[in-house]
Amino acid sequence: MVNNKSTKFHSSIQEKMVSSYLGWEVVSGSGSRMCVPGDVISDEWLGECKTHETSGHKIIFLADVWAKISDEAISKFRYPCLFVDDGSKSVSHTWVMFDYNRCSFSDTIKISIHSKFKPSLRFYHNEYIESLNNISQGILVLEDDHTCITTLQNFKYLLEE
């Protein structure tokens, strides 16, 4: 089946889903102009959203995208976060990368993936979801001790604490 929708079409669906779920705003004109950083924004956070055109793909966090949104967030006096899904554009299959020091946690799972993250971090949603469901606040902390990932649902929970 051929997908005739543009990349922006798919990105827009994901951006609206993330912003609606978190109660944030979609950044107007994101991706269309160099001077408009981020895709979603709140009073404290600036987020970049990445998806695929079809579902069932790996969750892929790219180091250069993380570096870009981190720089953009600093310029806007906000904390960076990177939202990535498997192409489903659903809350239950969306993951978030953010600075570990920006939220408080009671339970975490530390994994050693720093060396793999140099160009990217790739995994299937189901690889880690069972581990995260076994603790109250599932956080996967990268080996560098300050960057972490979690599901969008856990991220929202952390923001509400």
Side-chain angles (χ1 to χ4, degrees):
M1 180 177 193
V2 176
N3 186 346
N4 293 326
K5 305 290 185 185
S6 69
T7 302
K8 183 60 184 165
F9 172 83
H10 294 282
S11 297
S12 179
I13 291 171
Q14 184 199 30
E15 291 164 12
K16 289 176 185 172
M17 178 275 296
V18 168
S19 65
S20 174
Y21 183 73
L22 294 175
W24 294 9
E25 299 291 326
V26 172
V27 175
S28 180
S30 70
S32 63
R33 297 187 310 254
M34 292 293 290
C35 61
V36 183
D39 294 319
V40 294
I41 194 167
S42 75
D43 290 341
E44 295 182 45
W45 297 85
L46 181 68
E48 183 77 16
C49 296
K50 295 295 178 187
T51 188
H52 301 276
E53 293 183 7
T54 58
S55 63
H57 292 273
K58 284 186 175 184
I59 305 293
I60 303 173
F61 288 100
L62 297 173
D64 60 339
V65 176
W66 174 246
K68 175 182 172 280
I69 192 60
S70 294
D71 290 344
E72 290 174 349
I74 289 169
S75 75
K76 292 289 189 178
F77 304 101
R78 288 181 168 78
Y79 304 123
C81 51
L82 175 57
F83 300 94
V84 178
D85 69 28
D86 64 353
S88 65
K89 296 152 201 76
S90 69
V91 168
S92 64
H93 284 79
T94 300
W95 289 72
V96 187
M97 178 175 280
F98 61 101
D99 188 326
Y100 179 82
N101 298 313
R102 300 300 173 219
C103 295
S104 60
F105 315 107
S106 60
D107 294 333
T108 63
I109 299 172
K110 186 171 183 176
I111 57 172
S112 297
I113 53 178
H114 180 69
S115 62
K116 292 181 183 178
F117 184 60
K118 287 182 180 169
S120 67
L121 167 61
R122 299 166 186 260
F123 60 91
Y124 285 103
H125 172 75
N126 293 338
E127 287 179 20
Y128 293 113
I129 198 66
E130 286 183 30
S131 299
L132 293 180
N133 289 334
N134 292 332
I135 61 174
S136 61
Q137 299 172 5
I139 306 294
L140 302 172
V141 182
L142 305 190
E143 194 173 90
D144 64 10
D145 287 329
H146 62 81
T147 307
C148 58
I149 60 173
T150 192
T151 62
L152 179 58
Q153 294 150 317
N154 282 338
F155 184 71
K156 182 177 181 179
Y157 174 78
L158 293 168
L159 295 178
E160 293 172 347
E161 281 195 324

